Amino acid sequence: MNFSFVTGDAVRAGGAMIVVPLLDGDLGDTAPAALASADKALEGKLRAAAAQEGFKGKADQSLVLHTMGKLASERVMLLGLGARAKFTPEVLRLAAGRAAKTAQKLKLTELTFIVPDTAPAPVAARVIVEGLMLGVYKFDRYKTSGNKEDKKAPGLNTVRLVLPEGASQGQELEDAVELGRQVAQATNWARDLVNEPPNVVDPDRLAAAAQEVAKAAGLKATIGGRREIERLKMGMFLGVAQGSAHEPRLIHLAYVPKNPKDAKRAPLALVGKAITFDSGGLSLKPSDSMIDMKTDMAGSAAVLGAMRVIGELQPPFPVHAFIGACENMPSGTAYRPGDILTSRLGKTVEITNTDAEGRLVLGDIITWAVEHKPAALIDLATLTGACVVALGNYIVGAFGEHDATVEHVLAAAKTAGEEFWRMPVTELQKDALRSEVADMKNSGERWGGAINAALFLKEFVGDTPWVHLDIAGPSTSPKERGYFNKGATGVGVRTLVEYVRLRAASPESAQAEETAAPTKPAKGKARSKTARA
Ligand code: BES
Ligand code: MN
Ligand code: ZN
């Protein structure tokens, strides 16, 4: 998608459609200049039509009218932003997404978008770029029937952004648009990876996708198979993977700054859950719960998408991604309820439910990540249905005890326009994972299930500042909404990128984490510390 800036009277800008974002109640005398001049050119019929159609500027409203040759553009779209008091850049991003979907339905290849002055121009321009690019996203590559011409149509490719009066058209604006473009591209890439069926995205293909990211973004990639996972004594990961016909993959990507001094700093570690299909294993899921389980690798897709942008951003500290990819399947070789697995850390785990597989793989991967002495570790995982019960389909559960790091991640989410909510990591529930025969069991009682999962992961984290993000709900959208379609959302990409930007911009926040960084790893029956991949 190509973006250009224009200034001056928007109504003369021309094009197939001019999009005019409006706050609730902004149709009166206080109306933005673009509305006033379009209404004037249309002899007052624009406001009249809006009134007649009940368009007030509410956040879910829009109105498309043909201009009958009275304006330079063929159509005008009034786009509701809702109340001024509730305005955030995310409101504009969602609205731009709706405009994109409208343009797509009208088969437009170009449009003109009035940048509202409700946010600083670089912020507004960036979220419009993101909203439009995320909004035109479709996953239809497997549809062979229907209108083939539709699929071949060029789609929305040219956007003129009309800047508010007085906004300067400098480097800051260009950079904001470029960042928006990169983030949207990476998010759509992650959405593709999640939407792809599980017979296509298997562990090997996920590793290939990681390699693709590394190549595009100039990162170091190391991929291992079962032998390497055995060498690293990741008994929990191996247990989950052993029921599948597909070999598991161990994935390590590293962004290392060019400046040697920066390269020596403690890295930021990103860990993503990568179960390419979660059948539940022998604790088989009911059919209906299994349908969407190709999305059980959304955490790793978000990490990989973010790594792609991070390679371009070049922050002054290393960033590493750690992923263990496998399938959770029932078979004659599958791990069983009752099995006792020995983790890389040395802790033993009694399996009470083979469907609580994510925490097993993540536990070993977290141990491995912690061995790289990160300044902070963030994991993203479609970990529990319980988190969906607690927070619904749109909110990420954020767990962690290192307040500074949790708050930085929450602040990043807020800037990125993703909804996060802090959840407790309470010791009150620790008994839930107590086992009679091993150091712990992998699934506890149902109540507080999302917390139990976080408590399990915590066992492998040690003193590393750590944030666990349960994205089981928001990794997919149940319906079309704003810039989303039904299906994968790419949640997490935007927040991770923003977190890295925040950390790069404020050395104090990075330092607060680094000084709290561990000198000792998580307590386990000490295993060889030399094994590093
Ligand atoms: N991948 C699922 C969690 C999930 C549920 C993701 C719904 C997306 C949507 C996870 O592996 C799982 O099965 N968790 C179990 C844990 C239980 C057995 C302790 C769950 O949530 O039921
Ligand atoms: Mn499961
Ligand atoms: Zn799972």
Side-chain angles (χ1 to χ4, degrees), residues 1-4 111 133 156-161 177 181:
M1 211 178 276
N2 287 306
F3 296 92
S4 61
L111 58 77
M133 289 182 66
L156 183 62
N157 55 35
T158 308
V159 176
R160 280 174 297 273
L161 299 170
V177 167
R181 184 206 303 281

Side-chain angles (χ1 to χ4, degrees), residues 282-347:
L282 288 172
S283 312
L284 198 65
K285 285 181 186 291
S287 310
D288 285 350
S289 315
M290 213 188 281
I291 293 173
D292 267 343
M293 282 304 134
K294 65 174 185 182
T295 68
D296 213 16
M297 33 59 73
S300 62
V303 166
L304 292 175
M307 286 303 283
R308 175 157 200 162
V309 182
I310 290 165
E312 308 278 342
L313 282 177
Q314 311 242 332
F317 48 83
V319 184
H320 290 222
F322 302 93
I323 294 165
C326 71
E327 231 185 3
N328 186 23
M329 297 295 270
S331 75
T333 62
Y335 77 138
R336 294 152 286 247
D339 280 2
I340 296 178
L341 305 178
T342 303
S343 61
R344 168 155 180 79
L345 190 62
K347 284 185 182 157

Side-chain angles (χ1 to χ4, degrees), residues 21-263:
L22 292 167
L23 289 163
D24 194 354
D26 239 3
L27 273 87
D29 296 338
T30 59
L35 180 84
S37 80
D39 192 42
K40 198 170 158 212
L42 287 164
E43 294 147 8
K45 292 198 177 94
L46 183 55
R47 275 197 176 100
Q52 208 169 3
E53 299 294 329
F55 177 90
K56 295 191 171 70
K58 294 196 184 305
D60 58 350
Q61 286 186 313
S62 59
L63 181 64
V64 179
L65 297 169
H66 208 278
T67 61
M68 305 291 178
K70 307 242 176 201
L71 278 194
S73 43
E74 285 167 29
R75 294 174 194 78
V76 57
M77 178 184 195
L78 303 185
L79 185 61
L81 296 177
R84 182 180 294 271
K86 285 193 181 161
F87 181 85
T88 61
E90 170 66 358
V91 168
L92 182 55
R93 195 187 276 109
L94 288 166
R98 288 188 284 128
K101 292 194 191 302
T102 301
Q104 205 169 37
K105 278 168 204 148
L106 292 169
K107 300 192 168 64
L108 307 184
T109 58
E110 43 124 22
L111 58 77
T112 301
F113 202 112
I114 309 285
V115 179
D117 60 5
T118 39
V123 176
R126 176 180 165 189
V127 298
I128 291 168
V129 168
E130 289 179 357
L132 291 173
M133 289 182 66
L134 295 171
V136 296
Y137 174 83
K138 278 191 296 193
F139 185 75
D140 58 4
R141 79 173 53 136
Y142 294 99
K143 279 197 179 287
T144 63
S145 61
N147 196 340
K148 285 215 172 110
E149 272 165 33
D150 255 19
K151 276 178 74 175
K152 270 193 228 128
L156 183 62
N157 55 35
T158 308
V159 176
R160 280 174 297 273
L161 299 170
V162 183
L163 294 172
E165 222 168 301
S168 59
Q169 226 184 111
Q171 194 59 40
E172 202 193 347
L173 206 54
E174 298 283 340
D175 291 350
V177 167
E178 185 49 32
L179 180 63
R181 184 206 303 281
Q182 283 175 15
V183 167
Q185 241 162 27
T187 307
N188 285 343
W189 180 89
R191 286 162 97 179
D192 265 347
L193 198 60
V194 176
N195 282 329
E196 282 285 352
N199 59 331
V200 172
V201 173
D202 55 25
D204 193 44
R205 183 72 175 261
L206 196 95
Q211 248 154 346
E212 199 184 289
V213 166
K215 202 165 164 222
L219 313 173
K220 213 182 120 213
T222 319
I223 311 288
R226 180 170 276 122
R227 283 234 331 266
E228 182 64 9
I229 305 166
E230 279 166 2
R231 192 180 73 78
L232 291 170
K233 299 193 165 63
M234 295 181 171
M236 297 193 296
F237 183 7
L238 288 166
V240 174
Q242 78 190 30
S244 169
H246 293 285
E247 206 187 319
R249 287 285 178 270
L250 191 68
I251 302 165
H252 181 194
L253 295 190
Y255 157 75
V256 184
K258 291 195 185 91
N259 178 332
K261 213 174 122 233
D262 291 341

Side-chain angles (χ1 to χ4, degrees), residues 273 278-280 285 293 296 328 354-358 383:
K273 176 171 172 179
D278 181 11
S279 69
K285 285 181 186 291
M293 282 304 134
D296 213 16
N328 186 23
T354 62
D355 198 10
E357 84 297 338
L383 204 59

Side-chain angles (χ1 to χ4, degrees), residues 263-274:
K264 282 202 203 85
R265 287 176 67 183
L268 169 66
L270 304 178
V271 170
K273 176 171 172 179

